[in-house]
Amino acid sequence: MRRLALPHWAGTLAVKAAVFITVMCCGLAAMLGVLVHVSVTNQTVGQARKLALTRLADATRAYQAGDTLLPGAGVDPPGLPHSLRALAAAGDRGTMVSEHRGEPTMWAAGPADRGRALAVEVDYAQQARTIEALDQSILWSSGLAIGVTLLVGAFAVTRVTRRLHTTAQVARRISAGDLDARVGDPLTQDPTRPPDEVAAVAAALDSMAASLQGKLLSEQRFTADVAHELRTPLTGLHAAAELLPPGRPTELVRDRVAALRTLTEDLLEISRLDTGREQLELDTEELGALATRVVRMSGTDTKVVVLRDALVETDRRRLERVLGNLVANAHKHGRGPVSVTVDGPVVTVRDHGDGYPDYLLEHGPQRFRTEGGAKGHGLGLTIAVGQAEVLGARLEFVNAVDGGAVAVLTLA
């Protein structure tokens, strides 16, 4: 069973709080209004009934003594409600409010001789106007109270939701990689003021960001230190490998030393990218010619298609590094044919292999992670993404509908 979809605005805390406050105020105002109305009405009607019964008693004594009845008293007077007349004819006494000559009237009636009713009427117009005025006052005061309460409540809730919105924005910035972002809620910085729940969440988020930043910086320093420390022994190892006599063992040693040197250089490049202090050396380049040059330097069988050439202002070395890594990854982990297509400021590198793994499509390249028995350290695409960010370009990874991995680089 599908749940009823609410509009987007109905999900905000401020709207929910405003609706809750309004409903509670209306309910409270209605309850108090009903209590006041019932209490005042009962009191007013009771006083009018008491007065009418008193006059009825005086009229009964005068009628029984044969005296002249006072004005407003009479036997079977016109306008007497039929139900009250029947009650009096049956020998009982009672009162009733009804309209008489266009005005509210309180009637009191009792038995007379020969099945007739002796009744008196009391003007009830003033009491009715009093109750009506009271009801209007209740409505106006309730509306004013609801409005004021709603404004005050909305102001208070808005202050909380604004702080929550700021905390959510900072959380999104941290999730995007900005570990310098902090909420800095005022209540967390003033020890004399007790923090509320929002301040506690903000303080926890700031503490988490600081902890993550410290751990990340520590890991970055460790990676950079390891890569730097490996360069010196690897240089000596490379020189020693060059002195070995020709042969298959020597080729294996030189191949492993070269792979280790490449890994070390990749780690150093990643550590530099992690610092976020890379500087661009901008120049104007023809994108089609640059792509052709990258493919030629790669020494691979890659087709270059220039649909629409473009002049871009970019850092040539970094752009060559990005395209070179994408082409190398396509040949290493995909299958031919591999093509590089230039369409204006958009460069697409495609192979016809099994496509990118799901984790890469969802989370992007991850260091030292490969799947399906693929060789390598998973650093090529990571470096490509890092260099693309330095260039201010957007690098996206998708799988083609008819098979194959597609990397799309869009230059600004």
Side-chain angles (χ1 to χ4, degrees):
M1 181 177 179
R2 293 185 59 186
R3 296 180 61 185
L4 181 63
L6 296 176
H8 176 72
W9 55 265
T12 63
L13 180 60
V15 172
K16 291 180 178 179
V19 172
F20 176 77
I21 292 174
T22 302
V23 171
M24 292 301 296
C25 287
C26 290
L28 182 61
M31 182 180 66
L32 292 178
V34 169
L35 290 177
V36 172
H37 173 82
V38 170
S39 176
V40 173
T41 301
N42 288 339
Q43 183 179 2
T44 303
V45 172
Q47 292 175 351
R49 179 179 293 112
K50 184 178 180 180
L51 176 61
L53 291 175
T54 300
R55 291 186 178 181
L56 177 61
D58 294 340
T60 301
R61 286 192 294 269
Y63 180 75
Q64 292 174 350
D67 297 335
T68 304
L69 298 178
L70 297 176
V75 178
D76 290 336
L80 181 65
H82 294 290
S83 58
L84 188 58
R85 184 190 303 273
L87 181 68
D92 294 324
R93 301 173 65 186
T95 60
M96 178 179 291
V97 177
S98 67
E99 292 286 334
H100 181 53
R101 300 190 187 95
E103 294 291 340
T105 302
M106 171 66 73
W107 291 95
D113 54 352
R114 297 191 298 277
R116 295 183 299 175
L118 176 62
V120 296
E121 58 178 286
V122 176
D123 185 15
Y124 192 71
Q126 182 63 37
Q127 291 86 339
R129 285 192 291 268
T130 300
I131 294 176
E132 183 180 358
L134 175 65
D135 292 340
Q136 291 181 353
S137 299
I138 292 175
L139 290 176
W140 281 106
S141 60
S142 299
L144 180 61
I146 291 172
V148 172
T149 304
L150 184 59
L151 289 176
V152 174
F155 174 75
V157 172
T158 302
R159 291 188 60 187
V160 175
T161 54
R162 188 184 300 116
R163 293 165 62 197
L164 288 174
H165 182 66
T166 301
T167 303
Q169 283 183 325
V170 172
R172 284 190 289 267
R173 288 172 57 190
I174 294 173
S175 177
D178 183 10
L179 296 182
D180 291 325
R182 298 291 185 274
V183 180
D185 193 283
L187 291 183
T188 63
Q189 300 174 359
D190 188 356
T192 62
R193 300 175 63 184
D196 56 11
E197 288 78 2
V198 179
V201 172
L205 181 62
D206 288 347
S207 176
M208 180 193 70
S211 177
L212 287 175
Q213 187 176 39
K215 292 180 179 179
L216 182 60
L217 291 176
S218 177
E219 291 179 0
Q220 291 174 355
R221 284 194 297 268
F222 175 77
T223 302
D225 292 343
V226 168
H228 278 289
E229 292 298 326
L230 285 175
R231 292 186 90 179
T232 301
L234 279 176
T235 301
L237 187 60
H238 177 74
E242 293 297 327
L243 298 177
L244 294 175
R248 180 59 180 168
T250 299
E251 291 178 1
L252 293 176
V253 170
R254 289 176 179 174
D255 178 69
R256 294 299 87 196
V257 170
L260 194 54
R261 289 189 67 182
T262 300
L263 174 59
T264 303
E265 294 299 327
D266 287 347
L267 289 175
L268 282 172
E269 185 171 359
I270 287 178
S271 66
R272 289 193 299 268
L273 291 172
D274 285 340
T275 61
R277 299 175 182 175
E278 293 286 86
Q279 299 295 325
L280 293 176
E281 297 179 3
L282 297 177
D283 198 2
T284 302
E285 299 285 341
E286 289 186 2
L287 202 51
L290 188 144
T292 303
R293 185 167 61 250
V294 169
V295 170
R296 186 172 60 252
M297 290 187 301
S298 70
T300 59
D301 183 16
T302 304
K303 181 180 180 181
V304 179
V305 180
V306 180
L307 300 178
R308 182 166 51 95
D309 206 350
L311 286 175
V312 294
E313 187 176 10
T314 186
D315 188 319
R316 178 182 57 81
R317 179 185 66 83
R318 298 183 189 279
L319 183 55
E320 289 179 348
R321 178 69 159 152
V322 174
L323 295 180
N325 283 11
L326 293 178
V327 171
N329 183 82
H331 282 280
K332 183 181 296 185
H333 302 292
R335 289 191 299 270
V338 177
S339 62
V340 177
T341 304
V342 178
D343 187 4
V346 180
V347 183
T348 304
V349 179
R350 178 182 177 179
D351 62 54
H352 288 77
D354 297 329
Y356 292 117
D358 293 336
Y359 82 87
L360 191 147
L361 296 176
E362 185 175 356
H363 303 289
Q366 299 180 22
R367 305 172 189 181
F368 299 104
R369 178 172 180 178
T370 57
E371 291 189 355
K375 297 179 180 179
H377 303 285
L379 297 180
L381 293 183
T382 302
I383 292 175
V385 171
Q387 293 289 12
E389 291 179 354
V390 175
L391 292 173
R394 185 174 72 255
L395 181 56
E396 299 174 296
F397 302 96
V398 295
N399 287 332
V401 177
D402 54 349
V406 181
V408 183
L409 178 67
T410 305
L411 298 171

